[in-house]
Amino acid sequence: MDLNNRDIRTVEDVLRLLDGLFAPGADRWTEGGADWWDGFYADRDKPVPFFVAKPDENLVSYVERGLLPAGGRALDLGCGPGRNTLYLASLGYEVDAVDLSATAIRWAEERATEAGAEGVRFVHGDAFAATALEGPYDLVYDSGCFHHLPPHRRVSYLALLDRVLAPGGHFALTAFAAGEGGMGSELPDAEFYRQGKLDGGLAYTDEELRAIFADLTEIDLRRMHDEPPTSPAFGEPFLWTALFRLT
């Protein structure tokens, strides 16, 4: 979009205009940010905590506590190398897994082949623009995608949930936690547009997450448990974990 033209006609035009207020190279949320994520995932030996082939401890907890349906259709937003995708598939879910990074998708496909996973479809592209993502989904799971969106793209995120989440379906996410021991930036929303970057992602309080997803029924919201390296699940306490239901 040419920021010098008067061509705003739709909400999507406004969203793209706001995307353009960020500095070149700051994009981590549209297809223009794919190259950055490809570089991030290129070295599989980097000491990145969530490169491990383990599901999130909160997701395992939801299953073990009977908080999620036993199978159905699931969408893994920002699937990365597919660790949560493969866990859901092992439970009998039919999973669509989407990521901006072709490098991450290739890694996830390799893991799926090694695991003999069935019922998994990997989608390379922008989840908020990908027409291939057709609900309804019984579960939408997001491990670390939401906190990389600029404030105005929460509109796109909520619109996606509204479009693809089945009645009675569940939505769960992990996101940077504000406060002591947290990660991500705690600056006010407006400041990100003044500086033209996100400082690695946005940190949220529990009350902010409740307000953003107020149209859903809260089931569980807590800090992620810190899991030792020997644990079969991934866990870091700098993240919130949340589970909601569409009623």
Side-chain angles (χ1 to χ4, degrees):
M1 173 174 288
D2 187 344
L3 300 183
N4 295 314
N5 290 338
R6 291 187 174 86
D7 52 4
I8 301 296
R9 297 182 61 250
T10 68
V11 171
E12 188 58 33
D13 289 339
V14 174
L15 295 176
R16 288 199 300 270
L17 172 68
L18 293 172
D19 286 341
L21 297 182
F22 287 85
D27 184 356
R28 302 286 186 272
W29 60 90
T30 74
E31 290 183 353
D35 287 346
W36 189 92
W37 287 111
D38 283 339
F40 179 80
Y41 286 111
D43 181 1
R44 300 182 183 184
D45 296 323
K46 280 192 304 188
V48 176
F50 54 85
F51 277 11
V52 296
K54 302 177 181 181
D56 289 337
E57 66 81 11
N58 55 297
L59 181 57
V60 175
S61 172
Y62 301 152
V63 171
E64 292 179 344
R65 293 157 59 196
L67 299 179
L68 293 178
R73 295 192 69 213
L75 171 62
D76 188 0
L77 285 174
C79 66
R83 56 194 183 83
N84 292 304
T85 300
L86 298 186
Y87 175 70
L88 290 169
S90 74
L91 300 174
Y93 280 89
E94 179 184 341
V95 189
D96 286 349
V98 61
D99 202 283
L100 281 175
S101 169
T103 302
I105 291 291
R106 284 194 296 271
W107 188 1
E109 289 174 335
E110 290 174 21
R111 283 181 168 177
T113 299
E114 292 169 0
E118 298 180 354
V120 177
R121 183 173 70 108
F122 291 105
V123 179
H124 171 225
D126 180 354
F128 308 105
T131 57
L133 296 180
E134 296 182 1
Y137 294 103
D138 304 290
L139 171 64
V140 175
Y141 191 71
D142 171 356
S143 184
C145 173
F146 177 71
H147 57 223
H148 287 297
L149 301 178
H152 65 281
R153 283 295 172 179
R154 293 180 203 133
V155 175
S156 305
Y157 195 98
L158 292 171
L160 176 67
L161 291 181
D162 184 61
R163 180 170 65 85
V164 305
L165 191 59
H170 291 75
F171 163 64
L173 83 161
T174 70
F176 288 150
E180 185 177 355
M183 286 188 66
S185 176
E186 299 183 33
L187 292 173
D189 281 353
E191 189 59 33
F192 296 114
Y193 299 94
R194 296 188 182 102
Q195 66 180 17
K197 58 181 180 178
L198 295 184
D199 292 334
L202 279 65
Y204 290 89
T205 67
D206 53 348
E207 290 306 314
E208 287 168 343
L209 292 177
R210 289 188 174 101
I212 292 167
F213 300 107
D215 290 340
L216 303 174
T217 299
E218 178 185 331
I219 298 174
D220 190 69
L221 202 163
R222 60 170 173 81
R223 287 273 189 153
M224 179 178 267
H225 296 157
D226 190 7
E227 295 291 324
T230 55
S231 171
F234 166 81
E236 292 283 354
F238 58 77
L239 296 166
W240 287 118
T241 69
L243 177 63
F244 300 91
R245 183 177 65 248
L246 178 61
T247 55

